[in-house]
Amino acid sequence: MIALVLTCILAALLSLHYLNYSLPVAKEEIKVETETKYIEALGYDYQPQPKDKQSGLPKLISNGKSSWSKSELDSFSDESRKILKTGEDLAPQTLDPDSDTLLILTPLKNSAKHLAKYFKLIDKLKYPRHKISLAFLVSDSTDNTLQLVVEAKKKYQERGPKELRFKRFEIYRQDFFYTLSRKERHLYKNQFDRRTLMARARNYLWTRALENEQWVLWIDGDLEYYPPNIVNDMMAYDKDVLVPNCLVNRKIHRFKWEYGVYDFNSWQETPESIEMLKMIKDEAFLIEGDGDSPFRTKRKYMEHFGKSETIVPLDGVGGTFTLVKARVHRSGVGFPVWLFQHQVETEGFAKLAKANGFGVFGLPNYNIHHIYN
């Protein structure tokens, strides 16, 4: 009996010892999650804007008149008014982007162990399900990623209740036969080939999947957390390209974990980095966050902005969670597989978007979490 009592006391002490180290981490997670509701506290609420004409041209309405005002029409040339007049009676038969429809795009590779969390987060989104389309590109996978995505499609689109079905659920496969070990994937010497391949995958996916959606959302397949209202929050800013701040919970020492920046691909040029760009060769390839890179860019990352800076202009973005107006892609802005202003893939996309007159922005105090890997 005494031995049993001593065993119970020892177990209780061990539990308390474990909790003493666990609770600070849990409190930190709760604190960070609360901070991610930053935009909601500002009272933003995205509403469709009828005046936002995605084609850039006046929309004709069924009574044969343009939805533009008389003063706006007067500013058009005779030739432009002639163009508008052509086929006006057939205007209702033409296809315009569906208001507030969202296409979520996710490239996947050996992502089987993350898919349960991926769909759990998607299910929590506070956005009309019938407005959401999903599209996946599965590449170079040696696990059962493809099988699990196919099964998920059956679950949502066939076996599940109709009110929980997505507008579309598309699966594509394109193998590139490129593999790197975890140790090799972040070495500078491998980055150009690796990132251009990722750009090819993204270009394949959006060119195949984009139909008449108004918004495109690029989401990583291995995110740990984002707020349920994030889509509405980000749409409220009505920007061409917008990213939140992607953090990761890293182990600092034995019993302490701390959130820090995960996505160093979201950055703003600085006077120092602009001077550096003037001095390097045209063929120089720049990459952030890799310790063996020969370049120190001195760019401003998301963690360097103050708490009062709600939204900031950026020159580079990552692809962990990137909201894009579909007209940006439709205009021809994709992910460069060649050097564009020393960048490729998502950072090259941001540079290319800005070169084409689109705005690129970040939310340094709106946090999402990536898994630790």
Side-chain angles (χ1 to χ4, degrees):
M1 178 62 71
I2 295 176
L4 179 60
V5 171
L6 290 174
T7 300
C8 292
I9 292 173
L10 180 60
L13 289 173
L14 286 173
S15 298
L16 287 171
H17 176 77
Y18 173 77
L19 286 172
N20 283 335
Y21 291 119
S22 299
L23 284 175
V25 175
K27 287 180 180 177
E28 178 67 20
E29 289 178 352
I30 293 172
K31 179 182 179 182
V32 174
E33 183 171 324
T34 301
E35 289 176 353
T36 60
K37 303 186 185 303
Y38 190 73
I39 292 182
E40 293 175 285
L42 297 179
Y44 283 94
D45 182 24
Y46 175 79
Q47 297 294 333
Q49 300 181 35
K51 66 180 181 180
D52 184 19
K53 305 197 172 47
Q54 298 299 312
S55 67
L57 294 173
K59 178 179 173 60
L60 296 172
I61 53 180
S62 58
N63 62 3
K65 296 181 179 179
S66 170
S67 60
W68 288 78
S69 68
K70 184 179 183 302
S71 61
E72 289 171 324
L73 285 174
D74 287 343
S75 67
F76 277 74
S77 66
D78 292 340
E79 187 64 23
S80 294
R81 282 194 288 271
K82 184 178 179 181
I83 291 171
L84 291 175
K85 185 73 175 175
T86 304
E88 62 184 4
D89 56 324
L90 297 176
Q93 307 304 316
T94 61
L95 186 65
D96 287 321
D98 281 352
S99 177
D100 298 322
T101 47
L102 175 70
L103 173 62
I104 297 177
L105 298 176
T106 302
L108 296 171
K109 176 181 178 180
N110 289 333
S111 302
K113 63 182 179 181
H114 304 304
L115 287 175
K117 170 65 76 172
Y118 176 93
F119 285 109
K120 184 177 180 181
L121 290 171
I122 292 289
D123 284 337
K124 289 182 177 181
L125 280 176
K126 293 180 180 179
Y127 201 79
R129 185 62 65 96
H130 69 282
K131 294 278 190 179
I132 300 176
S133 294
L134 300 179
F136 301 89
L137 176 64
V138 181
S139 304
D140 297 341
S141 287
T142 55
D143 64 3
N144 62 334
T145 295
L146 184 57
Q147 294 93 320
L148 291 176
V149 178
V150 170
E151 182 60 30
K153 181 176 181 178
K154 293 178 180 178
K155 170 191 170 184
Y156 285 107
Q157 305 301 93
E158 298 175 15
R159 297 195 294 265
K162 290 185 178 181
E163 62 270 18
L164 294 182
R165 293 180 185 177
F166 298 98
K167 183 180 180 183
R168 290 188 296 127
F169 192 123
E170 307 291 346
I171 306 169
Y172 304 95
R173 175 171 176 173
Q174 176 63 49
D175 293 318
F176 300 97
F177 305 101
Y178 181 82
T179 57
L180 283 174
S181 68
R182 184 170 294 278
K183 183 179 179 180
E184 296 174 312
R185 63 183 297 188
H186 289 297
L187 294 177
Y188 177 79
K189 66 178 183 179
N190 298 324
Q191 286 305 297
F192 183 80
D193 289 343
R194 174 176 174 264
R195 297 297 302 282
T196 53
L197 184 140
M198 293 169 68
R200 289 171 58 196
R202 290 186 186 277
N203 288 331
Y204 184 97
L205 181 53
W206 80 259
T207 55
R208 289 291 305 273
L210 181 59
E211 291 188 357
N212 64 326
E213 290 83 12
Q214 190 173 0
W215 298 87
V216 173
L217 177 60
W218 293 92
I219 299 183
D220 263 11
D222 51 358
L223 292 180
E224 182 179 69
Y225 169 79
Y226 49 79
N229 206 47
I230 188 170
V231 172
N232 298 289
D233 290 344
M234 292 179 68
M235 284 182 178
Y237 283 101
D238 197 31
K239 299 299 183 183
D240 297 319
V241 181
L242 185 63
V243 295
N245 190 7
C246 187
L247 307 178
V248 65
N249 198 16
R250 291 188 177 93
K251 193 172 186 178
I252 305 304
H253 54 73
R254 186 179 179 187
F255 298 117
K256 184 177 180 181
W257 291 69
E258 185 175 288
Y259 280 95
V261 173
Y262 174 84
D263 197 345
F264 287 96
N265 297 329
S266 295
W267 39 260
Q268 185 184 87
E269 298 285 15
T270 63
E272 293 82 4
S273 68
I274 292 172
E275 284 301 312
M276 181 211 65
L277 292 174
K278 295 177 182 178
M279 300 177 65
I280 60 178
K281 295 181 179 180
D282 291 343
E283 63 270 22
F285 168 54
L286 300 180
I287 190 78
E288 307 298 317
D290 288 308
D292 68 332
S293 171
F295 303 101
R296 294 295 173 263
T297 62
K298 297 183 179 179
R299 286 162 166 164
K300 189 173 183 177
Y301 303 123
M302 296 280 261
E303 65 179 345
H304 297 149
F305 293 96
K307 288 294 183 182
S308 63
E309 295 180 275
T310 307
I311 183 167
V312 297
L314 295 178
D315 298 290
V317 297
T320 56
F321 200 102
T322 308
L323 184 67
V324 182
K325 285 188 176 180
R327 66 188 177 98
V328 177
H329 283 317
R330 288 194 183 98
S331 73
V333 178
F335 300 88
V337 296
W338 67 95
L339 279 180
F340 182 76
Q341 297 180 9
H342 304 287
Q343 309 292 161
V344 297
E345 211 232 338
T346 56
E347 304 97 300
F349 164 74
K351 291 275 190 176
L352 191 57
K354 296 191 73 170
N356 281 271
F358 297 108
V360 179
F361 295 86
L363 304 173
N365 292 294
Y366 196 103
N367 300 328
I368 66 172
H369 304 161
H370 198 281
I371 66 162
Y372 178 75
N373 56 13

